[in-house]
Amino acid sequence: MQKIKDLLKKTDLQKEDIITLLQAKEEDRLVLLQQAAIIKKQHVGNKVYLRGLIELSNICEKDCYYCGIRKSNTKTLRYNLTDKEVLEAGQFAYENNYGSIVIQSGELQNENFTKRIEQLLKQIKRLSDDKLGITLSCGEQEESVYKRWFDAGAHRYLLRIETSNKKLYEKLHPTNNLHSMDKRLKSLELLRKSGYQVGTGVMIGLPFQNIEHLAKDLLFMKKLDIDMCGMGPYIEHSDTPLFQYKKTLLPLSERFDLTMKMIALLRIIMPDINIASTTALQAIDKVGREKVIQVGANVLMPNITPGKYRDSYSLYENKPCTDENAEDSMSCIDIRVKLAGDEVAYSEWGDSKHFKKRQSND
């Protein structure tokens, strides 16, 4: 236990330190999680910010080997919300004081998609009297597209890298320019240049992944100087190529525990960023999101997509809450957050403190 306490006193954790902390068990593990909880309270307080999640479409040009909505999965029922459905979801978020929304979609690159997102952003800003913050998660785009969307009202962007290890990245994606890690990294750079609060994240418990990969993922996010993070456990999908490696995976409970420690460590090494408690956690543990809020996360993303589409936005299997409507999700938010010992920050954008500090230093 003393070794863990000594490591946690260091101001600049190295790869070997992080590996040791990720392997912490029993009392050592509790010391790590408790320290992360203390640092969270000191730097971002006990507020949990809401991001109403709108899953716009599961139509995707990408063919990532881990994802249930990959282009080659013919078993997925494809859908595309109407503009009316998107705006109604935005109106719901506004009327229920969410503060912010996330528009998430399969990855597409064409003028029709670009223009549609641009128009939806402007309409949501109008209907909310500019009071709703907007995060986008719509994949890799040209710099001009990012700028158009930023000018239309989006101010945060989540583009997950999934792994910072190039060899592992290439095992998760087809080998072509559409799935290039260099292109992904370039997109993150362009997002920063365009003025966004930039977020990324990784999957934890992937096939071929080891503890050193995860330690380097944390250092990668620190070096990239991200403003927010959304990371969670890898959960396999039977209609994907990676499913063949199911027997090599860590048990779900161990993937969950590793995710807890990854989030705790990210909070320790990047104290003032926003960290999301992702839905995948709840697919493993019914109170998984609350547990992660206790040790570092400060963002919750209730799903406000119309219920009939939720099963079809199936990045992984056993997705939770697909049978709830937006009102059901709303009714349990306060209870869930209070269970974690925090409070919901209604009607607040909840921008990253790290971003604000970075802006003031530029």
Side-chain angles (χ1 to χ4, degrees), residues 107 139-140 146 157-161 184 187-188 191 199-201:
E107 294 199 33
E140 297 164 12
Y146 288 144
Y157 205 106
L158 177 66
L159 184 69
R160 285 176 42 148
I161 191 82
R184 200 78 169 173
S187 293
L188 286 165
L191 285 165
T200 193

Side-chain angles (χ1 to χ4, degrees), residues 198-214:
V198 179
T200 193
V202 297
M203 284 187 288
I204 298 150
L206 285 160
F208 319 115
Q209 189 181 59
N210 60 43
I211 206 81
E212 183 176 348
H213 292 150
L214 292 171

Side-chain angles (χ1 to χ4, degrees), residues 62-81:
K62 293 290 187 78
D63 222 5
C64 308
Y65 294 152
Y66 51 83
C67 183
I69 67 168
R70 62 194 301 264
K71 183 180 180 180
S72 294
N73 184 8
T74 58
K75 295 180 182 178
T76 293
L77 180 64
R78 303 291 171 174
Y79 77 88
N80 201 349
L81 296 188

Side-chain angles (χ1 to χ4, degrees), residues 227-243:
D227 303 304
M228 56 191 197
C229 177
M231 62 179 169
Y234 166 68
I235 301 176
E236 62 273 20
H237 193 297
S238 57
D239 297 327
T240 63
L242 278 195
F243 190 73

Side-chain angles (χ1 to χ4, degrees), residues 30-223:
L30 285 177
V31 169
L32 166 63
L33 300 183
Q34 287 167 357
Q35 180 65 13
I38 290 168
I39 288 174
K40 177 195 165 186
K41 290 292 188 289
Q42 287 175 343
H43 290 270
V44 296
N46 67 341
K47 287 184 176 182
V48 173
Y49 301 104
L50 300 183
R51 312 276 189 257
L53 178 61
I54 303 172
E55 295 165 333
L56 177 70
S57 174
N58 66 353
I59 300 167
C60 191
E61 293 175 341
K62 293 290 187 78
D63 222 5
C64 308
Y65 294 152
Y66 51 83
C67 183
I69 67 168
R70 62 194 301 264
K71 183 180 180 180
S72 294
N73 184 8
T74 58
K75 295 180 182 178
T76 293
L77 180 64
R78 303 291 171 174
Y79 77 88
N80 201 349
L81 296 188
T82 65
D83 287 2
K84 182 173 182 287
E85 287 169 326
V86 175
L87 296 175
E88 285 175 349
Q91 186 73 38
F92 173 86
Y94 174 54
E95 290 176 354
N96 286 276
N97 304 311
Y98 270 57
S100 282
I101 61 169
V102 178
I103 298 177
Q104 183 178 47
S105 174
E107 294 199 33
L108 296 172
Q109 285 191 354
N110 60 65
E111 176 57 25
N112 286 341
F113 182 71
T114 298
K115 190 172 181 179
R116 185 181 183 215
I117 296 291
E118 185 178 30
Q119 293 304 315
L120 285 170
L121 289 167
K122 291 177 180 178
Q123 289 173 288
I124 290 167
K125 283 294 183 181
R126 279 198 297 271
L127 73 82
S128 69
D129 195 26
D130 201 26
K131 289 179 181 174
L132 273 180
I134 306 177
T135 303
L136 290 180
S137 183
C138 298
E140 297 164 12
Q141 304 291 338
E142 298 294 327
E143 182 179 0
S144 60
V145 174
Y146 288 144
K147 286 181 176 176
R148 282 172 66 179
W149 290 347
F150 184 84
D151 291 342
H155 59 115
R156 293 184 292 248
Y157 205 106
L158 177 66
L159 184 69
R160 285 176 42 148
I161 191 82
E162 306 303 2
T163 177
S164 62
N165 182 277
K166 192 163 187 176
K167 287 184 179 178
L168 180 54
Y169 191 94
E170 289 168 355
K171 289 183 177 182
L172 304 179
H173 303 89
T175 307
N176 57 44
N177 186 53
L178 193 62
H179 298 83
S180 157
M181 184 175 183
D182 289 341
K183 189 175 179 182
R184 200 78 169 173
L185 292 170
K186 180 65 176 176
S187 293
L188 286 165
E189 181 186 320
L190 293 175
L191 285 165
R192 172 69 56 83
K193 184 180 174 184
S194 299
Y196 289 91
Q197 295 171 52
V198 179
T200 193
V202 297
M203 284 187 288
I204 298 150
L206 285 160
F208 319 115
Q209 189 181 59
N210 60 43
I211 206 81
E212 183 176 348
H213 292 150
L214 292 171
K216 287 183 174 179
D217 285 341
L218 291 171
L219 292 172
F220 163 82
M221 288 188 277
K222 183 180 181 182
K223 183 179 180 182

